[in-house]
Amino acid sequence: MRLSVATRKGLFELSQRNGDWDVDALHFVGEPVTAALHDSASGRAIAALRMGHFGVKLRVSDDRGKNWEEVGSPVFPPKPEGIEDSNPWTLDQVWILEGFQSKHPQRLWAGTHPGGLFRSDDGGRSWHLIESLWNMPERKQWFGGGYDIPGIHSICVHPQDPDDIVVGVSCGGAWRTRDGGNTWTVGQGMRATFMPPEGQLNPVIQDPHRIVQCESNPDVLWTQHHCGIWKSTDRGANWSEITTARPSNFGFAVAVHPRDADAAWFMPLVSDEKRVTVNGSVVATRTRDGGVTFDVLDAGLPQRNAYDMVYRHGLDIAADGAHLAAGSTTGSLWVSADSGASWQTVGVRLPPIYAVRFI
Amino acid sequence: MAYLEFAPALQRHAAAPPVTAPADSLQSLLSTAFAQQPALQSYVLDEQGCVRKHVAVFLNGRLLHDRRRLDVPLAPDDRIYIAQALSGG
């Protein structure tokens, strides 16, 4: 088992030796890596670099990261003259990469800032914008949350149906296509308390910070939203609020067990107004009964003067359903081998962590 | 003949040899450079054809401020220098 950790200063790969996790590869040192995706079966990998000066660059590897090749980045079409759109039509960052499914090994998806969804059918070498989503009138209502512009951070591809996809937008709601991206419907039920009262239930401006699907039961989706936790049991058509999480229902990250749709994990922070750990203690929260009750998990996590924040892609669960990894924006990394009951601090000082993924 | 040179920071990522070519505008000189090294274009310009926000273009040592205008006239012996702007952390 290996871990991929995308950071502000490069892409780290870690593995376990004698029980301890350690870095055994570092790619693109010095460059911000905003997203990465690995296919453990084939050894292929793709990484999105956000170069401070020279734009977004994608690199692919066919040999488990030994060699990387630059390939084409997603690009937006020329912005038509006279069109009213407050968003730039220029790629700022790739926020999420998904794909490498066994039935469609060459198909990849990229969610970007601004809020574009791109598809590749050649393993990431070329990309095209899903124009149905980009040209949708509702997109004009999207706005940035924590960024100046909206972005797509979650792409849940149905494990059995590659044309059935749910995407999450901050701030723009949760959208589902069942026809490979030709048509889209938005989910209902989320509530945005940051909006004026008459706009709080508008599905098109919701801020789901992160959406994940249960691999064995993809009708079940979990969302850590800006205003709490929501769950859907009908693949995003309707969302129900879960209000039982303690010590807080605010945060960015969520993970769901690959074979138990009732089991989900979160990394809570105080609130929208105070985005730090509660009482300076890092904890994970876990439900095993679909959100009826939550456990607060702190064994092995720092409990004093720890103001680490786990951002939306900073939490992952392995295919075994037992290993979890959490990486913080202050460069701390923790791994659990027992479903979060206890955690091991990885003894390396990493740059700010954008995303962790088990390989 | 106009002259175009790229800063070492860019050459770290892509081959960017200097270019000496007849050109009556910045656009023309850049086109020559990109024809010789196609990978360079996306490092200097965004997909809307503008100079990237954190890239700086100098004409005879003077910074060009309008990122959207590439039709800047060039005289023979003008020198263009393309560098990374100061940004980031």
Side-chain angles (χ1 to χ4, degrees):
Chain A
M1 185 175 294
R2 293 166 63 79
L3 261 177
S4 156
V5 183
T7 79
R8 186 175 166 86
K9 300 293 180 182
L11 177 64
F12 293 78
E13 288 182 34
L14 295 91
S15 64
Q16 220 172 359
R17 290 189 213 106
N18 302 321
D20 293 325
W21 289 87
D22 202 357
V23 174
D24 57 20
L26 168 57
H27 311 291
F28 320 118
V29 61
E31 301 295 344
V33 178
T34 56
L37 183 68
H38 301 256
D39 180 24
S40 58
S42 68
R44 291 190 301 149
I46 181 166
L49 282 59
R50 185 193 195 195
M51 293 186 176
H53 302 99
F54 305 119
V56 173
K57 307 295 175 217
L58 291 187
R59 305 279 169 83
V60 297
S61 172
D62 293 326
D63 55 9
R64 302 184 193 278
K66 289 187 183 66
N67 298 284
W68 294 87
E69 176 192 356
E70 182 167 339
V71 291
S73 288
V75 293
F76 286 90
K79 187 174 183 178
E81 290 289 332
I83 192 168
E84 281 190 29
D85 188 348
S86 59
N87 290 300
W89 288 38
T90 51
L91 181 61
D92 180 64
Q93 68 167 310
V94 173
W95 221 6
I96 184 74
L97 290 164
E98 295 287 0
F100 286 145
Q101 287 186 313
S102 54
K103 287 181 189 167
H104 299 275
Q106 294 298 318
R107 185 174 300 176
L108 293 172
W109 297 90
T112 70
H113 265 181
L117 178 66
F118 291 83
R119 173 174 157 173
S120 171
D121 290 304
D122 55 10
R125 292 176 185 280
S126 64
W127 296 84
H128 69 267
L129 176 67
I130 302 300
E131 298 204 359
S132 57
L133 193 62
W134 182 249
N135 293 328
M136 195 173 60
E138 292 91 335
R139 185 180 65 80
K140 301 284 176 63
Q141 296 184 53
W142 297 2
F143 55 85
Y147 295 86
D148 292 338
I149 51 176
I152 293 178
H153 49 66
S154 298
I155 304 170
C156 303
V157 184
H158 194 292
Q160 281 80 47
D161 181 357
D163 291 332
D164 184 343
I165 300 161
V166 176
V167 301
V169 188
S170 286
C171 304
W175 294 82
R176 181 185 183 188
T177 179
R178 304 179 73 167
D179 54 17
N182 291 322
T183 57
W184 296 87
T185 53
V186 66
Q188 309 283 334
M190 297 178 186
R191 184 169 47 87
T193 54
F194 51 81
M195 293 293 285
E198 62 273 21
Q200 292 191 356
L201 293 175
N202 179 359
V204 174
I205 54 74
Q206 298 296 320
D207 186 10
H209 285 169
R210 178 81 172 123
I211 301 175
V212 292
Q213 71 180 356
C214 176
E215 284 296 301
S216 67
N217 183 4
D219 280 349
V220 176
L221 302 163
W222 286 86
T223 289
Q224 174 64 67
H225 183 282
H226 192 87
C227 304
I229 293 169
W230 268 263
K231 186 177 80 166
S232 171
T233 56
D234 56 10
R235 197 152 173 80
N238 297 283
W239 293 87
S240 302
E241 187 173 6
I242 306 287
T243 58
T244 44
R246 299 289 180 272
S248 160
N249 64 1
F250 182 82
F252 286 90
V254 52
V256 58
H257 193 290
R259 291 176 301 282
D260 179 0
D262 285 338
W265 290 257
F266 301 82
M267 301 297 294
L269 303 171
V270 173
S271 68
D272 172 19
E273 298 81 8
K274 202 179 280 186
R275 300 178 186 191
V276 295
T277 50
V278 179
N279 299 322
S281 302
V282 176
V283 301
T285 54
R286 175 186 63 191
T287 179
R288 290 191 283 192
D289 52 16
V292 179
T293 61
F294 280 80
D295 307 313
V296 177
L297 309 170
D298 59 10
L301 295 170
Q303 297 303 297
R304 278 190 73 242
N305 297 320
Y307 294 93
D308 293 75
M309 176 179 137
V310 175
Y311 208 30
R312 47 174 50 82
H313 302 116
L315 177 67
D316 193 31
I317 186 165
D320 65 5
H323 280 81
L324 288 149
S328 80
T329 57
T330 37
S332 298
L333 180 64
W334 306 283
V335 179
S336 171
D338 54 10
S339 305
S342 64
W343 297 78
Q344 175 191 351
T345 299
V346 177
V348 290
R349 297 164 62 83
L350 292 171
I353 293 171
Y354 295 145
V356 301
R357 266 184 158 154
F358 284 100
I359 302 175
Chain B
M1 300 279 267
Y3 177 75
L4 169 61
E5 186 178 347
F6 297 94
L10 200 159
Q11 297 180 43
R12 211 158 57 86
H13 304 294
V19 174
T20 303
D24 57 6
S25 71
L26 173 61
Q27 174 82 70
S28 166
L29 189 57
L30 287 175
S31 297
T32 301
F34 298 154
Q36 293 174 6
Q37 300 287 343
L40 264 182
Q41 180 164 337
S42 77
Y43 283 80
V44 176
L45 305 180
D46 66 28
E47 57 260 68
Q48 303 302 319
C50 302
V51 175
R52 288 195 176 280
K53 199 161 111 185
H54 298 295
V55 168
V57 179
F58 295 88
L59 168 56
N60 298 327
R62 182 172 52 86
L63 178 66
L64 299 178
H65 289 282
D66 191 339
R67 301 183 173 281
R68 291 167 298 182
R69 282 200 56 192
L70 301 182
D71 58 348
V72 177
L74 295 185
D77 302 325
D78 272 350
R79 296 174 71 85
I80 294 289
Y81 187 75
I82 295 183
Q84 75 281 14
L86 295 180
S87 61

